[in-house]
Amino acid sequence: MEVFFQMRFSYCGKPGGLVRRRGTAPRGLTEAEVLRQFEVLERLTLPSLRDQDDPSFRLILLTSARMPQAGKDHLTWLLNHYLPGRSHVEYARPMIPGRVFRRYMQGIGHGEAPVVQTQVLEGDAFGRRFVQKLREHAIESWAATPESGGTFMSFKRGLNLRLERRKPVGLEVITAPVTPFGLSLVARPSGRYNPALINPDGLGVKLPHVSIRTRSLHCMRAVGADDVADLPPVEARILAEAQQEFSVLRAVHAIPTTEDQRLKAPVDVSHVGRLRRSA
């Protein structure tokens, strides 16, 4: 089962989007905002995809057709450096990103065979076993409900990473964030649904939603000072496990740690919570 990562790289409008209201001119991002996106892409997202144990995937990066040629050239260089032969840039005029991704998937011509589409947000990084675990759950979910037309999946637990002056300075385990970790859809590429077209509040309404609950941490998201004032010390065990999954954490950083705490209850590492509600 093929895996497609789908990521937006903003140049016009708000960070993370390409949409503008009718009758208003698109706001160009400041140079600092664009440079921050490039930095996070190069320091977190792309290295985490390069390091995957299972390299059988493709990254589709969507950005504005108005991006200057210098920016396009740098994107091309980054993708060829980290993911040679496994990436594609889609340059589009302002429109709903999910519709661009859906049009791309419908045009790849894979017939009735299901694929996995995974949403990548700015600041997202994935543990080295992410693609492997994602494909395993996707195959299981599709076998269980092939008649449903598709199944959404997301990871229940993940990590928040705080960066200051390009260095990780805080790490926190978070459960059930507002925006799900690794939101994915296993479905035929010809379908009408896409991870970028679903509101997290609507997961499980029109299509089943699988909440993947594992003790291992396969997803990480960068947060800034505007999002969180400070992060509490992380358990030494958690940091050691995270360093095995994410190469960016393997160097010595000023991440405060505390002694390991005994788990209150055993964690079922194979448990999958399913939510099926009719529309």
Side-chain angles (χ1 to χ4, degrees):
M1 189 177 292
E2 292 187 80
V3 175
F4 292 84
F5 289 95
Q6 300 173 350
M7 181 177 185
R8 294 172 285 175
F9 188 99
S10 300
Y11 178 72
C12 293
K14 297 179 179 180
L18 296 170
V19 183
R20 65 184 179 92
R21 294 181 180 178
R22 182 174 299 179
T24 62
R27 178 184 71 85
L29 300 185
T30 66
E31 182 179 355
E33 290 173 322
V34 174
L35 289 177
R36 180 183 182 278
Q37 287 186 94
F38 272 117
E39 182 177 330
V40 172
L41 179 67
E42 183 173 4
R43 290 180 58 81
L44 291 179
T45 305
L46 291 181
S48 75
L49 295 178
R50 175 202 59 195
D51 295 340
Q52 291 298 309
D53 288 348
D54 183 346
S56 302
F57 63 85
R58 187 169 178 81
L59 170 65
I60 313 303
L61 193 149
L62 170 64
T63 190
S64 173
R66 296 187 177 97
M67 176 177 283
Q69 189 60 44
K72 295 179 180 179
D73 292 342
H74 190 52
L75 272 181
T76 300
W77 184 89
L78 284 176
L79 295 177
N80 287 339
H81 178 74
Y82 286 97
L83 300 173
R86 291 184 288 157
S87 58
H88 169 76
V89 181
E90 189 80 2
Y91 295 102
R93 296 184 180 276
M95 65 184 300
I96 297 175
R99 293 181 179 176
V100 180
F101 289 129
R102 181 173 62 188
R103 181 183 62 191
Y104 178 89
M105 296 304 302
Q106 291 174 342
I108 61 178
H110 281 66
E112 295 300 303
V115 299
V116 183
Q117 303 174 59
T118 298
Q119 182 184 60
V120 184
L121 301 180
E122 181 185 345
D124 277 0
F126 304 95
R128 60 182 179 82
R129 294 177 293 168
F130 177 82
V131 172
Q132 173 188 337
K133 295 299 180 181
L134 182 69
R135 182 177 280 111
E136 291 174 357
H137 285 287
I139 293 173
E140 176 188 352
S141 298
W142 182 258
T145 57
E147 74 288 346
S148 68
T151 299
F152 282 101
M153 304 181 297
S154 63
F155 285 76
K156 186 77 171 180
R157 299 171 70 238
L159 292 163
N160 276 344
L161 172 70
R162 181 169 178 179
L163 295 173
E164 288 184 3
R165 296 186 178 91
R166 303 183 179 184
K167 295 182 179 180
V169 296
L171 197 65
E172 177 187 35
V173 177
I174 183 171
T175 302
V178 176
T179 304
F181 286 114
L183 179 60
S184 304
L185 171 66
V186 51
R188 297 181 178 90
S190 58
R192 58 178 294 207
Y193 295 101
N194 183 275
L197 286 174
I198 187 73
N199 187 315
D201 293 338
L203 289 173
V205 176
K206 293 186 179 292
L207 291 177
H209 173 225
V210 174
S211 181
I212 303 173
R213 307 167 188 239
T214 67
R215 177 174 176 176
S216 301
L217 299 165
H218 300 291
C219 302
M220 184 167 66
R221 182 168 295 155
V223 295
D226 295 338
D227 302 312
V228 58
D230 199 5
L231 294 181
V234 66
E235 293 181 42
R237 169 183 55 84
I238 295 293
L239 178 57
E241 292 176 0
Q243 288 172 331
Q244 293 297 316
E245 292 290 323
F246 302 92
S247 60
V248 69
L249 298 176
R250 291 173 192 165
V252 177
H253 298 296
I255 299 178
T257 60
T258 185
E259 294 183 3
D260 298 339
Q261 303 296 317
R262 181 183 296 275
L263 296 178
K264 295 182 180 179
V267 178
D268 182 2
V269 297
S270 62
H271 174 70
V272 175
R274 297 183 180 277
L275 175 63
R276 295 193 182 93
R277 298 199 302 268
S278 58

